[in-house]
């Protein structure tokens, strides 16, 4: 994916005067439609705009080279091979952030959310963005290249609220990877709200309620 390639996306609003924007990134092999149905289920006390970008299609090594929507390739034999893909995806989603700012949404009112692969991009973008953002929602995910994280973060988002959630029986991304990421972020003094649920690599009604409550904390000000 080239940096100049604009991402296609779905956009929806819960009311006429949104207090901010949530940019929500799907997981491997899915699309922007994946989390669209959750919006009406969220217990929101404020109106919000939701943007669901579609990842570009690319060959995925772990799936035998099969092509599918993805934010980056996954090669278990060489995990850092995905570095360039992640940088490109962060750049592409940063364009979506910039578009919202141009539309008049303050950067502090933009939350970056993501599930699985999308959560990796959400964390990467949110922690490194040069303007303050509203929050990071990282669902069933991990931090890429934790060892060098401090080299990539930006002081602008040192106080950003982070919501992390994981299923205790996740077969795709073991909860230990999520806990390792949480502990690393906490050690760097980030404010992390951690939730875990009796589920696999998915969502659940309890999680949807917690997401809604967390978003209200960010936007009901």
């Amino acid at each position: 994916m080239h940096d100049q390639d604009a991402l296609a996306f779905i956009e929806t609003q819960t009311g006429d005067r949104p207090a901010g924007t949530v940019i929500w990134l799907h997981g491997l092999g899915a699309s922007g439609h994946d989390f669209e149905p959750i919006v009406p289920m969220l217990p929101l006390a404020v109106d919000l705009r939701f943007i669901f970008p579609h990842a570009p299609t690319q060959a995925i090594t772990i799936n035998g080279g099969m092509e599918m929507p993805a934010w980056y390739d996954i090669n278990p034999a060489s995990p850092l091979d995905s570095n360039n893909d992640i940088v490109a995806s962060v750049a592409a989603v940063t364009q979506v952030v910039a578009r919202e700012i141009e539309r008049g949404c303050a950067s502090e009112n933009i939350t970056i959310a993501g599930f699985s692969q999308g959560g990796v991009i959400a964390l990467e973008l949110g922690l490194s963005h040069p303007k303050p953002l509203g929050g990071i929602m990282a669902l069933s995910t991990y931090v890429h290249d934790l060892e060098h994280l401090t080299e990539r973060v930006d002081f602008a988002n040192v106080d950003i609220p982070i919501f992390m959630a994981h299923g205790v029986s996740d077969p795709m991304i073991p909860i230990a990877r999520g806990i390792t990421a949480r502990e690393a972020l906490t050690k760097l003094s980030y404010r992390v709200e951690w939730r875990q649920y009796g589920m696999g690599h998915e969502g659940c009604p309890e999680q949807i309620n917690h997401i809604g409550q967390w978003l209200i904390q960010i936007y009901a000000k």
Side-chain angles (χ1 to χ4, degrees), residues 55-166:
T57 298
Q58 63 173 306
I60 301 300
T61 304
I62 197 173
N63 290 341
M66 189 184 298
E67 294 204 343
M68 61 188 63
W71 299 109
Y72 54 89
D73 186 25
I74 299 175
N75 181 359
S78 187
L80 297 185
D81 280 359
S82 56
N83 282 1
N84 290 341
D85 288 352
I86 289 173
V87 168
S89 287
V90 167
V93 180
T94 298
Q95 288 183 9
V96 182
V97 174
R99 177 180 173 272
E100 282 306 291
I101 294 171
E102 286 167 15
R103 291 169 84 183
C105 183
S107 67
E108 297 92 335
N109 292 328
I110 298 173
T111 293
I112 311 295
F115 172 80
S116 195
Q117 264 206 350
V120 170
I121 304 302
L123 283 163
E124 196 72 24
L125 190 162
L127 296 173
S128 65
H129 200 270
K131 293 180 179 177
L133 297 169
I136 301 170
M137 188 200 308
L139 310 174
S140 304
T141 193
Y142 58 95
V143 172
H144 173 71
D145 191 14
L146 250 181
E147 193 179 333
H148 299 101
L149 176 63
T150 53
E151 300 164 24
R152 308 195 304 275
V153 301
D154 193 286
F155 189 73
N157 283 293
V158 71
D159 291 324
I160 194 166
I162 302 171
F163 179 91
M164 295 190 76
H166 220 107

Side-chain angles (χ1 to χ4, degrees), residues 26-68:
H26 63 76
L28 177 65
S31 76
H33 293 286
D34 211 27
F35 287 96
E36 190 184 9
I38 285 178
V39 173
M41 303 179 197
L42 293 169
L44 297 174
V46 289
D47 291 335
L48 292 174
R49 176 183 295 137
F50 288 84
I51 294 176
F52 301 98
H54 303 292
T57 298
Q58 63 173 306
I60 301 300
T61 304
I62 197 173
N63 290 341
M66 189 184 298
E67 294 204 343
M68 61 188 63

